[in-house]
Structure formats: C-alpha cells, structure tokens
Amino acid sequence: MPESPRPILLVDVDGVLALFNLGAEPPAGVWHLIEGFPYYLATETATLLHEAAEHFELVWCTGWEDRANDHLPRLLGVPGPLPVVYFDRNPGRGNAHWKLKAIDAFSAGRPVAWIDDALNDECHRWAAARMAAGVPTLLVETEPHTGFTAAHLVQLIDFAGQATSPA
C-alpha cells in the first residue's frame, strides 16, 4: 500500500508570521516594509517553517494570497513558492469565517492542520465535523504578538505523525 501523502499545513501570515500588538519584549525579528506597510517578521519563523515542511505540504492560507509568495520566501528564507488558497472577496454574512469555504474546497478530504490567529467557533465546528467524518484536522491558534512558536511546531509534528500513520 502506498504511503499516504503528507497532510496539508495551511499557513496564515498576519498574527502567525507577521506579528503585531508587540509587547515590551517581542520575539527576535526584523521590520520589513512590504507594499508600503511595516511588518515585523519573527526570526525563528523560517526555521520552524522549514521543519514543518518536512512533515507537511505547506500552503499559504492568507488574505495576502499570491503576495505571500511575492515577498515571504525571499524575506524569511522559507520554502516557496507555495500553493495558495484563494478566497471569495465577498463571502457574505452567512459565512461565519471568511476562509472556511475556500479551505474546505482546497483540502478536499485530506488531513489538514491550520495555523491562524483568528480561529472562531465556526472554525472549531468545521474541524470537529471533519474529525467526525474520519478526516484528521488540527487547528492551531497563535497569539498575534508571538506568532508561530516551537511549541506549535511540536503540536504540528505530532499531528502529522498521527495523520499519516496507518489505521
């Protein structure tokens, strides 16, 4: 039996890689001017994404869409270009989280982990429904002032091992 494909890791940018609401002692990082806006990119992020790429298919899942590939691989030294989830710009009031419809279509029943700083109850219901249907799903919520951390990576690697191991 062929080995299962690696699970997808959906990677948000703002609040995950590009930090904001920084406290008095932010993680090590560098300010970059991107399309006229200042972004604080944590130094540790590149290492974490490289390690995650050993276990996951990395996918940009951000309002930046293609612009993530235009800037982040160069600035962070991360793998790229990466596949991109594209979003409906007018999801309507009935869509509790503006990313879910596109994520559901993109992931198409594959095991998926999603790292984002803005996960809501609808995201958790979506993940629970996928899990109930036997599709491994993990939500990893970051704090926008610290973003993606080594502790998150440990959680993701553990999930990837479980998601790809035979039942």
Side-chain angles (χ1 to χ4, degrees):
M1 179 180 217
E3 186 178 324
S4 300
R6 293 178 299 162
I8 295 169
L9 175 56
L10 302 169
V11 182
D12 184 33
V13 173
D14 295 323
V16 176
L17 308 179
L19 309 184
F20 58 93
N21 292 340
L22 299 172
E25 296 183 32
V30 177
W31 285 99
H32 294 279
L33 196 60
I34 302 172
E35 297 181 6
F37 296 96
Y39 289 92
Y40 187 81
L41 302 178
T43 307
E44 181 182 37
T45 301
T47 300
L48 297 174
L49 284 176
H50 277 284
E51 289 185 44
E54 295 175 17
H55 305 273
F56 290 91
E57 176 188 345
L58 301 182
V59 175
W60 295 124
C61 184
T62 173
W64 289 42
E65 293 182 337
D66 286 322
R67 293 184 344 254
N69 279 324
D70 293 343
H71 302 286
L72 296 175
R74 174 179 52 82
L75 293 174
L76 290 172
V78 298
L82 299 178
V84 176
V85 176
Y86 295 97
F87 303 102
D88 182 352
R89 288 294 170 209
N90 297 301
R93 292 180 183 262
N95 190 356
H97 192 287
W98 64 280
K99 292 181 179 180
L100 282 176
K101 182 177 177 184
I103 287 171
D104 205 42
F106 186 92
S107 60
R110 281 185 58 192
V112 65
W114 176 15
I115 187 166
D116 201 309
D117 70 313
L119 301 170
N120 64 15
D121 290 343
E122 186 64 23
C123 300
H124 290 279
R125 284 191 290 275
W126 171 82
R130 284 176 51 94
M131 292 293 290
V135 182
T137 304
L138 175 68
L139 301 180
V140 177
E141 190 159 9
T142 63
E143 294 296 329
H145 61 278
T146 55
F148 187 15
T149 67
H152 296 129
L153 180 64
V154 168
Q155 185 181 9
L156 288 164
I157 291 171
D158 184 55
F159 168 80
Q162 293 175 23
T164 56
S165 61

